[in-house]
Amino acid sequence: MSSLYFDHAATTPLRDEVRAAMEPCLHGNFGNPSSIHRWGREAAAALDGARARVAEALGATPGEIFFVRGGTESDNLAVLGRTRRLVVDGHPPRVVVSSVEHKAVLAAADAALHGSDGVPATLRVGVDGSVDHDALADVLARGPCVVSVMWVNNETGMILPVPEIAARVSGSGSTFHTDAVQAVGKIPVRVDQVPVDLLTVTGHKIYGPRGTGVLFVRTGVEVAPLVHGGGQERGLRPGTEDVAGAVGMAEALQLAVLEQEAERTRLAALRDGLESRLGTLVPGLRVNAGDAPRAPHISSLGIPDVDGGILLGALDLEGVGASGGSACDSGAAKASHVLTALYGQADPLAALRLSLGRATTEADVDRAAQVVARVVERIRSGGVDR
C-alpha cells in the first residue's frame, strides 16, 4: 500500500503552481537584481513584485518586508537584531519568551543576552493556551525589552493569544515579535489588524521552496543586521537575493492565504476524526493541549506504555511518516521542552505528532489511525524490540 505522510508541520512538498512561478527566474530571468543592465533590471522587477505580493498577503507595505533564508534566520534577526539595536540606543539587553517557543527563538534569546548578567524571562503558557499576563505586565514595567511569543506552537498546534499580547506590548516602549511559521495559511494573520512589530514566516511550511523566509519589520522599528556586506534588503540582510526563492515564497503565501478558510475547515474535521478514532483504538491516549484553541493541521498525542523512538521507527516501517515533536529536535533523546512546560518533567507519555496537509484525505486518516493503533498494541505486547 502507498505510504502516508503525516509530517506537514516539519515540511511540505513544493506546489506545482509555485514551481511554475519560479521557473522563469531559474532560467531566462537569471540576473543579479543589483546589476544595472537589462538582466539585472528584470530580476529586480521580479523581486519587487514578490515583495509586493508578500506585503499584500500579510497586510503590510512592501517596505516592511525583508527576504531572508528561512524561519530560523528570521527569528534570529528579529530577536537578536532588535535586542542589539536597543543596546545601541542605551538600553540594557532584555528578552522575554514564552515557555513553548521554538528553539530558534530560545537560542536567539540566549545569544542576545550572552555576556550580560541577564537571562531571558519566561512567560508560562498553560495547557489551555493561556499566558501569564501579570508576569508580562511586570516585565514591561521594568523598561524596554523584546517580547517573542509564537502564534501557533509547532509541536501541539496550540494557538497562543498573540493579538492580546501584542496589544499589551504596543505603546509600552517594548517590541513584540511573533513566530508565525505554523500560523500563516492556517489561521488569519494580518499585521494591519494585530499590532506586532516583527513577524516571521517561512516558505517550506506552506508548500513553498526551502531556504526561503520573510521578516516583517513594522515601519519605525529598527533592527541591527546580523550579516554584514552589501546593501541588499536595505542593509538588513546583505547578500545577493534569491529571486526565484522570493517569487516562490510569494506565490506559496498568496495561495495559502487565499485557501485558508476552506482548508482550515477541512483539516480541522480530518484532525478531529483522527483523534476520535485513535481515542477509541488506543487506551490511555491523551490529546496534548486538546482543550486549547488549536490550528487545524497538528494533532499532538501522548501515548502511555510505549517508547517514543521505537514508536516512530515502527511507524516508519509501516509507511507512516510522523514525528515526536519539532523536526529541529530529530535524534534528540531528551523530552520535548514544550511538553515538559505543559505537563511537567515526569510526564510518562510518549509524544506522537501527526500533522495533516493539502493532500491528506479521510481515507488516509482512517488508515493512519489503524496503523498507529496496531503498532502501539504490538509494542505494548512485546512484538517490537525495545
Side-chain angles (χ1 to χ4, degrees):
M1 298 182 71
S2 60
S3 57
L4 296 171
Y5 185 70
F6 274 79
D7 205 16
H8 291 85
T11 198
T12 54
L14 193 69
R15 288 185 69 152
D16 291 340
E17 301 96 322
V18 173
R19 183 181 292 106
M22 296 172 65
E23 192 71 19
C25 303
L26 297 172
H27 299 291
N29 188 7
F30 59 84
N32 187 322
S34 295
S35 299
I36 63 173
H37 48 58
R38 173 169 59 87
W39 294 269
R41 293 196 303 273
E42 290 175 350
L47 186 65
D48 289 344
R51 199 183 310 278
R53 295 184 71 194
V54 169
E56 180 184 34
L58 295 177
T61 65
E64 296 173 316
I65 301 300
F66 295 84
F67 289 111
V68 298
R69 298 295 289 178
T72 294
E73 182 178 322
S74 180
D75 283 337
N76 274 258
L77 186 54
V79 174
L80 186 53
R82 179 55 183 162
T83 302
R84 288 180 177 177
R85 183 65 240 184
L86 289 176
V87 171
V88 169
D89 292 340
H91 302 289
R94 299 176 62 242
V95 183
V96 185
V97 297
S98 84
S99 57
V100 297
E101 286 305 302
H102 192 280
K103 288 290 184 66
V105 166
L106 297 180
D110 287 338
L113 300 182
H114 181 71
S116 73
D117 294 331
V119 296
T122 301
L123 297 176
R124 184 180 60 80
V125 175
V127 72
D128 60 352
S130 61
V131 173
D132 189 341
H133 288 290
D134 289 339
L136 175 61
D138 181 62
V139 170
L140 294 177
R142 300 177 190 177
C145 62
V146 175
V147 180
S148 185
V149 178
M150 66 196 327
W151 210 317
V152 170
N153 179 255
N154 57 302
E155 293 193 28
T156 64
M158 173 191 294
I159 300 173
L160 278 73
V162 161
E164 296 175 33
I165 298 170
R168 285 176 173 264
V169 177
S170 180
S172 69
S174 292
T175 305
F176 182 66
H177 164 252
T178 186
D179 180 328
V181 162
Q182 296 289 351
V184 291
K186 311 301 188 304
I187 63 174
V189 174
R190 298 278 303 184
V191 299
D192 55 351
Q193 297 174 2
V194 180
V196 301
D197 298 301
L198 304 163
L199 180 138
T200 289
V201 183
T202 194
H204 75 110
K205 309 292 189 182
I206 51 174
Y207 307 91
R210 297 182 186 182
T212 61
V214 162
L215 177 64
F216 159 78
V217 181
R218 190 172 295 280
T219 299
V221 176
E222 296 186 3
V223 177
L226 306 184
V227 178
H228 301 276
Q232 295 92 343
E233 295 303 296
R234 285 145 285 160
L236 184 58
R237 208 295 181 185
T240 302
E241 299 95 339
D242 177 6
V243 178
V247 169
M249 171 84 209
E251 179 75 10
L253 179 59
Q254 285 216 320
L255 288 170
V257 171
L258 178 67
E259 299 168 356
Q260 170 195 291
E261 282 305 313
E263 192 68 352
R264 180 182 187 180
T265 300
R266 189 185 74 88
L267 289 177
L270 289 176
R271 180 205 62 199
D272 292 347
L274 175 64
E275 292 174 352
S276 177
R277 290 169 176 81
L278 285 171
T280 300
L281 296 170
V282 180
L285 178 136
R286 178 185 72 201
V287 177
N288 295 325
D291 292 330
R294 290 185 293 156
H297 64 304
I298 296 176
S299 178
S300 175
L301 307 171
I303 303 177
D305 305 319
V306 297
D307 177 273
I310 292 175
L311 174 61
L312 292 176
L315 288 175
D316 182 42
L317 291 174
E318 294 278 352
V320 177
S323 68
S326 173
C328 299
D329 286 333
S330 59
K334 62 182 181 179
S336 156
H337 74 281
V338 171
L339 297 181
T340 296
L342 296 178
Y343 293 103
Q345 190 70 47
D347 182 43
L349 276 60
L352 175 65
R353 184 183 70 178
L354 299 170
S355 47
L356 295 68
R358 293 180 62 245
T360 306
T361 66
E362 189 167 354
D364 294 334
V365 165
D366 288 337
R367 280 184 54 206
Q370 293 294 333
V371 172
V372 170
R374 185 169 66 246
V375 168
V376 169
E377 176 58 29
R378 196 161 70 238
I379 294 173
R380 287 175 173 175
S381 65
V384 177
D385 290 338
R386 293 179 177 267

